[in-house]
Amino acid sequence: MVERSSVDMWFDPICPWAWLTSRWLLEVERVRPIDVNFHVMSLSVLNEGRDLPEKYHDLMKTGWAPVRICVAAEQKYGPQVLRPLYTALGTRIHPRGEERGPELYRAALADAGLDTALAEAGNSTEFDDALRASHDAGMKPVGMDVGTPVIHAPGPVDGQKIAFFGPVVTPAPKGEAAGRLWDGVLLVAGTPGFYEIKRTRDERPVFD
């Protein structure tokens, strides 16, 4: 029997590219021996103090609520709730295109079977220290000049942890195509001295 390995992904619920990567990883979990664990990072934390276009600056202001709610839920129920809560939030925010706000957050908490009163954490700084700790745990191994998604996984040769940004892909591959992409990502990310492969992003996120 092939031993399963633990793979960790850091997400911000507002990022459509992280959402696609997360759906791809859940497909990989079906076709490769991995177990995916979800963790919270924050684009609002990442971009603090940066000179941003006004539109993006406004987005970062409204980005605090969903990550605070995720951390509050994690503190109350344990890390295992992040998978269903992220799925509930992401489904409403991305494929459904619902407006982010208290109504959406309460509905997503209900979808995940969690206390809807946790939506109040979105306007509180109570969980910000825990949020920053989770953010830093994900980002430090890859550096602060990338965003979300960030993945930590055992390397393909010696099993030592490798950390990387991405992959950025649309639409999210399904079935064995998801597995092949995973194999390739591990191969390049596990190569010593390998840093980047990139091309112009000419498609918007495709949710299916």
Side-chain angles (χ1 to χ4, degrees):
M1 184 176 178
V2 178
E3 184 177 351
R4 298 183 69 84
S5 59
S6 181
V7 172
D8 298 280
M9 177 187 158
W10 274 259
F11 68 91
D12 185 318
I14 70 173
C15 178
W17 299 104
W19 172 252
L20 288 166
T21 299
S22 73
R23 301 310 95 179
W24 162 69
L25 276 178
L26 294 181
E27 281 290 308
V28 176
E29 195 178 56
R30 294 176 54 246
V31 297
R32 295 293 186 271
I34 70 167
D35 294 309
V36 181
N37 307 300
F38 290 101
H39 309 271
V40 185
M41 63 85 65
S42 170
L43 291 171
S44 299
V45 170
L46 184 69
N47 287 291
E48 279 182 317
R50 294 184 179 180
D51 186 17
L52 302 171
E54 184 175 351
K55 183 177 179 181
Y56 198 72
H57 182 72
D58 291 342
L59 176 65
M60 292 303 95
K61 279 190 196 177
T62 64
W64 286 98
V67 289
R68 285 169 169 166
I69 291 165
C70 285
V71 171
E74 181 182 21
Q75 295 278 305
K76 181 171 183 175
Y77 294 103
Q80 72 281 356
V81 303
L82 290 177
R83 178 186 289 225
L85 180 55
Y86 182 28
T87 292
L89 284 166
T91 298
R92 289 179 174 274
I93 293 170
H94 302 300
R96 296 187 189 175
E98 296 179 14
E99 183 178 356
R100 286 188 286 112
E103 184 177 347
L104 183 152
Y105 303 141
R106 286 191 293 269
L109 286 160
D111 292 344
L114 306 178
D115 183 1
T116 58
L118 287 170
E120 298 173 9
N123 294 319
S124 169
T125 60
E126 179 182 355
F127 300 97
D128 283 8
D129 286 347
L131 169 61
R132 292 177 187 277
S134 179
H135 175 92
D136 288 346
M139 299 302 295
K140 282 183 177 178
V142 293
M144 298 298 179
D145 60 343
V146 300
T148 181
V150 164
I151 294 172
H152 297 187
V157 177
D158 57 10
Q160 291 294 311
K161 183 178 76 174
I162 54 175
F164 52 90
F165 164 76
V168 175
V169 61
T170 189
K174 303 292 193 298
E176 185 56 25
R180 289 195 300 271
L181 177 57
W182 175 251
D183 298 339
V185 166
L186 282 189
L187 178 62
V188 296
T191 299
F194 180 87
Y195 292 105
E196 188 170 355
I197 183 170
K198 193 171 184 178
R199 57 187 171 191
T200 299
R201 195 182 308 173
D202 57 5
E203 290 187 41
R204 295 187 61 81
V206 176
F207 308 119
D208 54 6

